[in-house]
Amino acid sequence: DRVLLTGVINISVPVRSVCVCLCFHVTGARVVVSARTYADFTPQATFDIKKCDLHKLEEGPPLQAVLTREEGLQYYRTMQTIRRMELKADQLYKQKIIRGFCHLYDGQEACAVGIETGINLSDHLITAYRAHGYTLTRGGTVREIMAELTGRRGGIAKGKGGSMHMYTKHFYGGNGIVGAQVPLGAGVALACKYLGNNEICVCLYGDGAANQGQIFETYNMASLWKLPCIFICENNKYGMGTSVERAAASTDYYKRGDFIPGLRLDGMDVLCVREATKFAAEHCRSGKGPILMELQTYRYHGHSMSDPGVSYRTREEIQEVRSKSDPISMLKDRMLSNNMASVEELKEIDVEVRKEIEDAAQFATTDPEPPLDDLCNHIFYNDPPMEVRGTNPWTKLKSVS
Amino acid sequence: MFLRHAVWYYHAFLYSILRYHVTVRDALNQALDEELERDERVFLLGEEVAQYDGAYKVSRGLWKKYGDKRIIDTPITEMGFAGIAVGAAMAGLRPICEFMTFNFSMQAIDQVINSAAKTYYMSAGLQPVPIVFRGPNGASAGVAAQHSQCFAAWYGHCPGLKVVSPWSAEDAKGLLKSAIRDDNPVVFLENELMYGVPFEMSEEAQSKDFLLPIGKAKIERQGNHVTLVSHSRMVSLCLDAAAVLAKEGIECEVINMRTIRPLDAEAIETSVMKTNHLITVEGGWPQFGVGAEILARIMEGPAFNFLDAPAVRVTGVDIPMPYAKILEDNSIPQIKDIIFSVKKTLNV
């Protein structure tokens, strides 16, 4: 039997750190010692990914995904950033520095990251209120996301939106009303088709929203008018405290689009999500109309910070997902076991991410709140300044666009 | 031969009389046509707007001229298509979303308020929503309770929306064009009973760039004794009441609000400071209504000290709209109700 012993010596040089590994391969009676540099990492590898369940589709996404080292490191970094950002938000919420609603995304990172890698920044995306991860992947910075959570003027919406109302270019939030974002997303897709810009809209909703009537109204119109819309159901098994079995007569969310072709896939595997998104994007861009994806995923936190998340599911279940299906661990194991990165390198990324989050949290807790004279601004766009009634007849406040 | 000439001259005479008279319906149609032509991003969607030429024929001829891309028939799914319209506006188009009547907008009201009205504020100026929601509002004739509600107060309540309520053909044309060019969500409340009413249209109003400002009321009739403030179809009744009262020497100043939100309080105040008496007239219900808001503002503002009598409201009766004609007629303000209220206020 082969036994692999690996010793690692880390030598830091001014420009880059070079990882020198002494590997002892014991095969039979021979011992081989070799020095490894970055040039020795596997530049790319092909991974088998789980087959998608298909609905009204002859064929699905490929069963293999090619991952380059650069991509892997980037996906790892982004997922880790989302993870640590959400955990920091948890901390700040418990310290009462974040108030109101706070719906955390940890556990579901592979969805946001995988989707973004399957589309372009010039495409469009809209989701519901569990939106911090998407705000990041769509171009927001950790600083401005955290400062929005703490309600400061440096927030991505200047402190006026909060957790559920963050926007960036081609990212339409952050929407608080369950299901309302789905028709909006189809409308964005209609604009893409109307303007002929070959862009598509990714329109996300959860298993809880999947039973909303307006979603079925949207399926109908999107299909009739062949809108370039990818509907994505992030099925994390619970709509607030209600499990999918208790909420839906049919939990095959990927089939609920009926006449719309659908895919169901493992939402914890970033490569699965990427390949399926690419497949779906191609479907839309070729003018075939909408398509539906169901991502089977899991949230470690409760529905929101007011929900401990253990009254309707067991701690064992949460722990099992963490140990067997964590999206970041899955990617990490893949990369390490295929020699695409070293433990040290990934640890270094962790350290950098931690620092970024700390800096952002520092900013988010020290940046001042918005000025009071911003109170009535942004009511109308492109309008002359106007007066807004204050809390009493003598108080006239100013509003500018 | 003589008969044929006579008929021709008769028609030419009629034509010259009617040439400058335009119905509200045709004025709306003109506005839609002109704005569709002017800006490629403008499009119309709603039930029956395309191939049926519009449930009330407001969009007659537009589908034939502009085609499927710009004039879109929707299924009967208000919440869905209103949301789609709002999303399209967010992504850079300029949709006009028609509700067959505003009663059906209740099914979509979340999209109007939470997705359209509030978004520019929630995003601190990142995401404007240039959309117009239009359709007939308020009582019609014999359509009973579920099809007769006035939504001026409901939409007028919400910051982030502009709410417009035209009366005449000029109002309809100028205000709809302004609404479409406005970069914000506008709720445009038409009136089915006014669609067929012809109005004289000035030369100026016939121009393709004729716009009326949103937020400015118009004084339709000057007077010294009492201010009548109204919107939409009730303006006609106020003018009719004013004509009757003039014979008794009572001169009413009739203000056509034109816009519900932002309310032109200044125009009303200026008038009240002249006439010292105020009556609001609306078709909607009294509680928390348009009249209630106007009276509150007058109380809180400089015109209060000029009132010689309490300001009052003439409104629809506080009941769901009945069907039988005699009941329906007595559910909304009639000319005699306005006259009665004027005389009570003036104590004559």
Side-chain angles (χ1 to χ4, degrees), chain B residues 25 58 85 115 132-133 171 182 346:
Chain B
R25 175 185 289 110
V58 174
S115 302
V132 175
F133 297 101
D171 287 356
D182 200 302
L346 293 174

Side-chain angles (χ1 to χ4, degrees), chain B residues 78-192:
Chain B
E78 275 76 5
M79 198 168 184
F81 72 70
I84 284 179
V86 175
M90 289 181 177
L93 298 183
R94 304 188 71 90
I96 304 164
C97 176
E98 177 177 306
F99 291 121
M100 197 181 280
T101 76
F102 267 93
N103 299 286
F104 315 133
S105 75
M106 275 203 282
Q107 305 216 293
I109 201 165
D110 175 64
Q111 297 290 1
V112 178
I113 307 299
N114 279 322
S115 302
K118 297 179 184 172
T119 294
Y120 190 65
Y121 186 87
M122 291 193 294
S123 68
L126 287 175
Q127 182 60 74
V129 185
I131 188 169
V132 175
F133 297 101
R134 52 159 289 275
N137 174 62
S140 178
V143 295
Q146 292 179 344
H147 289 75
S148 305
Q149 191 170 331
C150 176
F151 287 86
W154 281 38
Y155 289 115
H157 187 59
C158 302
L161 278 185
K162 298 188 183 182
V163 181
V164 176
S165 185
W167 167 64
S168 65
E170 270 196 29
D171 287 356
K173 185 169 178 198
L175 290 171
L176 184 54
K177 284 167 76 75
S178 291
I180 294 168
R181 295 190 198 190
D182 200 302
D183 289 329
N184 297 286
V186 180
V187 169
F188 194 85
L189 304 170
E190 300 162 7
N191 186 293
E192 202 224 315

Side-chain angles (χ1 to χ4, degrees), chain B residues 106-301:
Chain B
M106 275 203 282
Q107 305 216 293
I109 201 165
D110 175 64
Q111 297 290 1
V112 178
I113 307 299
N114 279 322
S115 302
K118 297 179 184 172
T119 294
Y120 190 65
Y121 186 87
M122 291 193 294
S123 68
L126 287 175
Q127 182 60 74
V129 185
I131 188 169
V132 175
F133 297 101
R134 52 159 289 275
N137 174 62
S140 178
V143 295
Q146 292 179 344
H147 289 75
S148 305
Q149 191 170 331
C150 176
F151 287 86
W154 281 38
Y155 289 115
H157 187 59
C158 302
L161 278 185
K162 298 188 183 182
V163 181
V164 176
S165 185
W167 167 64
S168 65
E170 270 196 29
D171 287 356
K173 185 169 178 198
L175 290 171
L176 184 54
K177 284 167 76 75
S178 291
I180 294 168
R181 295 190 198 190
D182 200 302
D183 289 329
N184 297 286
V186 180
V187 169
F188 194 85
L189 304 170
E190 300 162 7
N191 186 293
E192 202 224 315
L193 297 173
M194 294 302 294
Y195 280 151
V197 178
F199 287 85
E200 204 175 307
M201 190 83 117
S202 66
E203 286 274 357
E204 191 208 348
Q206 290 169 61
S207 137
K208 281 192 176 174
D209 284 308
F210 172 65
L211 298 172
L212 284 174
I214 291 177
K216 286 270 164 276
K218 182 181 178 211
I219 307 204
E220 298 290 347
R221 184 188 194 283
Q222 302 259 6
N224 285 315
H225 299 131
V226 62
T227 300
L228 300 178
V229 180
S230 186
H231 71 99
S232 190
R233 187 171 154 264
M234 290 292 139
V235 174
S236 298
L237 271 77
C238 288
L239 289 169
D240 291 344
V244 173
L245 287 162
K247 297 200 188 93
E248 299 178 45
I250 299 172
E251 294 298 332
C252 303
E253 179 143 291
V254 176
I255 299 183
N256 169 10
M257 290 174 69
R258 284 181 163 175
T259 302
I260 306 289
R261 182 176 187 112
L263 206 152
D264 191 353
E266 208 185 304
I268 302 173
E269 279 163 355
T270 307
S271 176
V272 171
M273 294 199 272
K274 179 174 77 169
T275 67
N276 313 123
H277 299 86
L278 173 62
I279 298 176
T280 66
V281 182
E282 67 195 288
W285 294 317
Q287 273 197 214
F288 310 103
V290 174
E293 172 66 18
I294 293 172
L295 264 52
R297 293 226 196 170
I298 293 298
M299 286 283 282
E300 290 180 350

Side-chain angles (χ1 to χ4, degrees), chain A residues 252 320 369:
Chain A
D252 290 332
E320 181 162 356
E369 289 191 283

Side-chain angles (χ1 to χ4, degrees), chain A residues 194 217 375 381-383 389, chain B residues 40 80 121 162 183-184 300:
Chain A
Y194 189 104
E217 295 186 13
L375 181 69
Y381 175 53
N382 240 355
D383 249 30
R389 187 185 196 276
Chain B
E40 291 240 315
Y121 186 87
K162 298 188 183 182
D183 289 329
N184 297 286
E300 290 180 350

Side-chain angles (χ1 to χ4, degrees), chain B residues 39 67 71 75 77 112 116 119 124 146 198 208 237 273 302 314 318 320 323 326-327 346:
Chain B
D39 188 338
I71 314 291
T77 49
V112 178
T119 294
Q146 292 179 344
K208 281 192 176 174
L237 271 77
M273 294 199 272
V314 172
D318 204 8
Y323 166 67
I326 189 173
L327 297 179
L346 293 174

Side-chain angles (χ1 to χ4, degrees), chain A residues 2 8 12 48 64 109-110 112 118 125 143 148 162 206 229 236 243 268 283 293 308 321 380 384:
Chain A
R2 286 177 63 153
V8 175
S12 287
D48 290 331
Q64 293 192 313
E109 296 86 355
L125 191 143
R143 260 166 86 95
E148 186 60 35
C229 193
N236 59 19
S243 68
M268 304 303 260
H283 176 104
M293 284 165 51
V321 176
F380 292 131

